[in-house]
Amino acid sequence: TPARAELALSNLIVELMPAKHIREDVEVWNNSPERSFVAIEPREIIDPSLPSQRVFLDPDPEKLGLLVSPSRMILEPGQRKLVRIAAISAGADREHVYRVTIKPVTGGVQSTDTGLLVVVGYDVLVLVRPSQPLANVTANRTGRKVTFRNSGNVSVEVVEGQQCDTARQHCTELPGKRLYAGASWSVELPSDQRADYVLKSPGKTERRSY
């Protein structure tokens, strides 16, 4: 019989703004009928979506720029606990991107029966916004190809894309993406019609057509 070491989280994206909203709690609870041992590890993603992308790990929160507490926990069946995530560095001129892994840790399974253990873990996206966020996404369309470029200092969600016929009776959903600062992204359109997208950035949401 399959067994599950299952966790649930209250949210998977955390946005922190120095001097305004520097910390947030993520609730973690154990949905399985067994006790769960949970490991929590933060890491910074430097230059996300760029060829120079790399991971920075450091157990010292001061060096990492992010405090995540606790680093481990024990959850009884149905029990809930909080993980606090707080920005330490302030005044940055560019968005810092982190991933916080929250996952069950299992030991060796000793049994004469054949079984399957399914472990469900999460990677929480943490965005530490700069003191003065600037969203600047431009797009260039050539034929059926649209290329977005983010020359701002914060990531922008390019979402809710659609392309409709002239009468707007039949619409096709288009793929979306979080476009990080300095990154570019291209999407191939299914037709020659106008393409509509919604751009979401800190404190601003706008619809654009291409």
Side-chain angles (χ1 to χ4, degrees):
T1 302
R4 297 184 66 86
E6 184 176 340
L7 295 179
L9 270 63
S10 58
N11 54 316
L12 294 176
I13 299 178
V14 173
E15 298 185 31
L16 303 177
M17 181 74 73
K20 293 183 180 180
H21 180 66
I22 63 171
R23 64 179 180 270
E24 186 168 326
D25 293 333
V26 175
E27 189 176 32
V28 184
W29 62 91
N30 180 9
N31 275 341
S32 76
E34 305 292 335
R35 175 183 294 170
S36 183
F37 298 86
V38 181
I40 303 160
E41 183 182 51
R43 64 194 185 278
E44 183 177 8
I45 310 300
I46 300 175
D47 296 339
S49 297
L50 299 179
S52 56
Q53 176 177 314
R54 62 191 186 279
V55 173
F56 176 66
L57 283 165
D58 198 299
D60 186 349
E62 291 287 347
K63 294 180 180 179
L64 188 64
L66 191 74
L67 173 65
V68 179
S69 179
S71 61
R72 59 182 63 88
M73 61 174 60
I74 300 175
L75 291 172
E76 300 296 336
Q79 188 177 15
R80 299 170 180 247
K81 289 186 178 180
L82 296 177
V83 174
R84 170 149 294 185
I85 301 175
I88 294 179
S89 58
D93 58 1
R94 193 180 183 89
E95 180 179 81
H96 283 257
V97 179
Y98 297 89
R99 289 283 184 175
V100 178
T101 300
I102 302 177
K103 65 179 181 180
V105 178
T106 59
V109 178
Q110 298 180 351
S111 175
T112 57
D113 298 326
T114 301
L116 175 66
L117 178 64
V118 180
V119 177
V120 179
Y122 298 90
D123 244 357
V124 178
L125 174 63
V126 180
L127 304 172
V128 180
R129 305 293 196 183
S131 54
Q132 296 182 342
L134 173 64
N136 187 17
V137 174
T138 58
N140 178 58
R141 177 169 176 173
T142 303
R144 294 188 177 184
K145 182 179 181 180
V146 180
T147 300
F148 298 90
R149 291 181 175 83
N150 185 356
S151 58
N153 62 2
V154 293
S155 60
V156 176
E157 290 182 85
V158 184
V159 294
E160 298 180 27
Q162 65 175 3
Q163 194 172 38
C164 303
D165 58 18
T166 304
R168 302 191 65 84
Q169 293 182 346
H170 302 284
C171 297
T172 301
E173 291 187 4
L174 301 175
K177 186 178 180 65
R178 179 178 292 277
L179 194 62
Y180 291 99
S184 60
W185 173 61
S186 296
V187 58
E188 295 288 343
L189 305 175
S191 73
D192 297 324
Q193 301 293 333
R194 185 187 74 189
D196 298 316
Y197 269 98
V198 171
L199 274 59
K200 295 182 178 181
S201 57
K204 186 177 181 180
T205 298
E206 58 181 321
R207 180 174 292 276
R208 294 186 185 178
S209 299
Y210 308 98

